[in-house]
Amino acid sequence: MTAIPSFTGDANPYGGGDPYADYRTADFPFTQYADLAARTLGAAVIAANDEFFAQRENLLLPGRAEFDPEHFGHKGKIMDGWETRRRRGASAEHPWPTAEDHDWALVRLGAPGVVRGIVVDTAHFRGNYPQAVSVEGTSVAGSPSPEELLGDDVKWTTLVPRTPVGGHAANGFSVSVEQCFTHLRVNQHPDGGIARLRVYGEVVPDPAWLEVLGAFDVVALENGGRAEDASNLFYSPASNTIQPGRSRKMDDGWETRRRRDQGNDWIRYRLVAQSRIRAIEIDTAYLKGNSAGWASVSVRDGEDGDWREILPRTRLQPDTNHRFVLPDPAVGTHARVDIFPDGGISRLRLFGSLTEAGSAALSARHQELGG
């Protein structure tokens, strides 16, 4: 696929002031999905052929890249990204790199999944960004080493063909390959620097692993849950509420703007598959003067099913993890948390297990996607 939109061409040299003043970006439709390359999910850049100027691990750092025009080291300008040295040709007669020359980095996704879109961000790389990039994906079980991934027996599928990119820009690529991937290979042609890599998609969990777990969090992002929609995303994304672990600071949860009406805010989730929910956790960690006052939880079975309340409107305490054991298991494919009147929660956990129908549907999808 081609970049959408394309920011090919040079960026102007840094002229002082706000380094992001002339940064080029756009609203990409696939960013509604979770970032499969997030460090919070366990993603990592496990190898690169060259990282002379800036280390590969910077690619997956949270937040936008920073720029300090006065920051230099013994190798040159220190950049917040992954930057390789300049490639050279074979001789004085042919000093230029060949068309095939490129640098690469291997990325292990935090969770296996279907990739819907990729952002290759060249923020602050103005005269040292790659001419083009390409991205490939593969699915390898277990925890393969870089040497194993680079072996001749590993099949790589093109997700983003070699495409020109622009400097100091968020270069977005839509991906339409219906296949589950565990690792990506990011290539820059022929050399240069990339500030950040974001890989948006849907988690595809291993049914065998979930079966062994028995009871697990059926809405967790790492298990295949997804935040589908929310009433308000002013301060933070709804997907924060199903990230691994407990929240570590206020913006690691979900917080809405202040309401000035008689309504309430909500998030709608898709569970990993049809599940039988037995217990609920609602955490308001680090939300102290802005946690939700009350919350309720509902489920529905199927896209057109009716919503059924399984946790009635209940008072929440700030900076507290609340636990509720349901009197009877609740069966559903979707869940909704309503908060009253506004504020936020940091995490939602729905503990249960797959129904027989849910297990069969998940196994069929896993097999169909080559997981």
Side-chain angles (χ1 to χ4, degrees), residues 218 224 270-276 332-334 354-355 357-359 361-362:
V218 298
R270 177 186 294 273
L271 308 183
V272 55
Q274 189 188 62
S275 304
R276 190 173 286 105
T333 57
H334 296 72
L354 298 179
T355 64
S359 180
L362 185 62

Side-chain angles (χ1 to χ4, degrees), residues 34-82:
D35 181 6
L36 302 181
R39 287 289 296 165
T40 52
L41 272 180
V45 186
I46 60 175
N49 72 307
D50 187 301
E51 46 187 327
F52 184 86
F53 285 115
Q55 60 191 15
R56 65 183 190 262
E57 287 86 357
N58 290 338
L59 280 174
L60 305 188
L61 289 178
R64 66 182 191 174
E66 300 300 329
F67 181 72
D68 181 352
E70 305 299 327
H71 197 191
F72 286 83
H74 66 278
K75 289 184 178 180
K77 182 72 185 71
I78 294 177
M79 298 293 291
D80 184 8
W82 167 51

Side-chain angles (χ1 to χ4, degrees), residues 142-321:
S143 304
S145 67
E147 293 75 19
E148 290 172 320
L149 288 169
L150 295 172
D152 294 336
D153 58 334
V154 174
K155 177 186 176 183
W156 291 89
T157 300
T158 298
L159 303 183
V160 178
R162 181 169 175 168
T163 307
V165 294
H168 196 45
N171 300 275
F173 303 89
S174 180
V175 178
S176 57
V177 180
E178 288 293 322
Q179 187 177 335
C180 181
F181 296 102
T182 60
H183 295 78
L184 301 186
R185 184 164 61 190
V186 181
N187 306 302
Q188 48 178 339
H189 309 266
D191 54 40
I194 299 170
R196 294 289 189 268
L197 176 73
R198 304 295 185 234
V199 182
Y200 297 98
E202 301 174 62
V203 175
V204 180
D206 182 355
W209 177 252
L210 296 183
E211 183 179 356
V212 169
L213 292 180
F216 59 93
D217 183 0
V218 298
V219 75
L221 179 62
E222 60 188 330
N223 293 332
R226 177 183 164 194
E228 287 192 319
D229 199 5
S231 60
N232 187 274
L233 302 172
F234 188 83
Y235 287 113
S236 47
S239 59
N240 279 357
T241 60
I242 54 175
Q243 292 282 354
R246 294 199 71 196
S247 175
R248 293 164 294 178
K249 49 193 176 73
M250 191 175 73
D251 66 351
D252 194 19
W254 171 61
E255 182 189 357
T256 71
R257 71 175 75 203
R258 300 188 186 207
R259 276 189 171 269
R260 300 301 189 224
D261 57 24
Q262 300 300 305
N264 75 283
D265 289 312
W266 52 266
I267 305 175
R268 187 181 74 240
Y269 304 90
R270 177 186 294 273
L271 308 183
V272 55
Q274 189 188 62
S275 304
R276 190 173 286 105
I277 301 167
R278 296 181 174 84
I280 298 171
E281 277 190 9
I282 300 176
D283 197 351
T284 58
Y286 293 97
L287 295 164
K288 299 180 179 181
N290 52 353
S291 68
W294 293 262
S296 65
V297 178
S298 304
V299 299
R300 75 179 184 196
D301 194 21
E303 295 287 348
D304 302 321
D306 295 326
W307 289 106
R308 179 168 62 92
E309 191 174 71
I310 61 173
L311 179 70
R313 192 179 305 184
T314 302
R315 189 74 167 94
L316 299 182
Q317 299 299 321
D319 197 25
T320 301
N321 193 24

